[in-house]
Amino acid sequence: GLKIIKENSKVVKKNKIKAGIKFQFRDLDTFIDKNYKGQNKHIDRFRSTFLSVNNYKKLKDEVTNNKLISICTPFDEKSVKLIVDMQFDILKIASCSATDWPLLEAAAKTNLPIIASTGGLSIDKIDNLVSFFEHKGVDFAIMHCVSLYPTPEDLLSINQIDLLKKRYPGIVIGWSTHENPENYEIIKVAYAKGARIFERHIGLETSKYKLNNYSSNEKHIEKWLKSWMM
């Protein structure tokens, strides 16, 4: 984790980009029902990648020390409190949590800037989310997102950015993207459409772990950013 932050921070500094690293917090003691006897790949992944709060603090400190923006997605209210306690800069709402009203209430009370993804949401649910944040006086942006991992190029639905910009004038629109990491052209189209925040999964390939087919290494990220800046 520390190496992923260090390697990508070099790319950010070299290209003079305003960028952040995003974490995800789940309180596994309450997030996974103790009475659930079955197993699936998500629960196995959450358990196998568990980190202590102290280890998360080490990673978050590395982000801050490299002058990157610290961002975190909570999946429960207890994690919202941890985000505040650890002094993250931005709170991210995942697409799957965009109708979790107790979580959204807790997030709105933090007074942190919020970025919310909209993958899989109908337009009325996006309307409700926008209305809620506006009513609460939250400083927020929303992200076009296709919740397919990876997303085939013919299903990227980039025109959704046009719709969001027209429907919510004055709100910053971004794009949370999961296409092949060697596609360096589509970010240009998204920017031309009006996206101003971009999110990608990043990773580090080792002899033990291979990158999945929607995550970028630091070399991918540099080419991706240079394509956007052209």
Side-chain angles (χ1 to χ4, degrees), residues 115-151:
I115 300 172
S117 278
T118 61
L121 297 184
S122 59
I123 197 66
D124 62 313
K125 289 180 178 178
I126 301 176
D127 282 346
N128 290 340
L129 183 66
V130 169
S131 177
F132 173 81
F133 283 144
E134 288 182 333
H135 177 71
K136 295 291 186 178
V138 173
D139 177 12
F140 73 101
I142 57 176
M143 306 285 276
H144 165 49
C145 176
V146 178
S147 298
L148 291 173
Y149 303 80
T151 308

Side-chain angles (χ1 to χ4, degrees), residues 41-203:
K41 64 180 182 180
H42 301 296
I43 290 178
D44 291 343
R45 177 166 61 87
F46 297 154
R47 286 177 170 152
S48 67
T49 57
F50 171 81
L51 289 177
S52 67
V53 171
N54 282 339
N55 279 331
Y56 272 124
K57 286 180 178 177
K58 290 178 183 177
L59 293 170
K60 196 264 184 181
D61 286 345
E62 188 68 27
V63 170
T64 303
N65 291 339
N66 280 281
K67 302 188 187 308
L68 297 168
I69 300 166
S70 59
I71 309 167
C72 192
T73 300
F75 286 88
D76 48 74
E77 292 90 322
K78 190 172 181 180
S79 294
V80 173
K81 183 179 183 304
L82 182 58
I83 287 171
V84 173
D85 290 345
M86 289 179 62
Q87 299 183 329
F88 276 84
D89 298 314
I90 296 175
L91 189 149
K92 171 82 187 295
I93 296 296
S95 299
C96 63
S97 300
T99 57
D100 183 343
W101 296 107
L103 178 65
L104 295 174
E105 286 279 1
K109 290 177 182 177
T110 66
N111 293 320
L112 287 172
I114 291 176
I115 300 172
S117 278
T118 61
L121 297 184
S122 59
I123 197 66
D124 62 313
K125 289 180 178 178
I126 301 176
D127 282 346
N128 290 340
L129 183 66
V130 169
S131 177
F132 173 81
F133 283 144
E134 288 182 333
H135 177 71
K136 295 291 186 178
V138 173
D139 177 12
F140 73 101
I142 57 176
M143 306 285 276
H144 165 49
C145 176
V146 178
S147 298
L148 291 173
Y149 303 80
T151 308
E153 291 182 2
D154 61 334
L155 296 179
L156 291 172
S157 302
I158 296 298
N159 286 340
Q160 180 78 353
I161 295 170
D162 294 320
L163 183 151
L164 295 175
K165 282 189 64 65
K166 291 177 182 177
R167 194 171 185 89
Y168 311 115
I171 296 174
V172 174
I173 306 300
W175 182 39
S176 181
T177 173
H178 312 113
E179 77 278 3
N180 185 303
E182 293 185 353
N183 182 334
Y184 306 118
E185 300 302 316
I186 196 67
I187 188 173
K188 298 178 184 178
V189 180
Y191 182 81
K193 291 281 186 180
R196 292 298 179 264
I197 302 172
F198 300 93
E199 178 184 28
R200 277 206 68 86
H201 290 251
I202 58 174

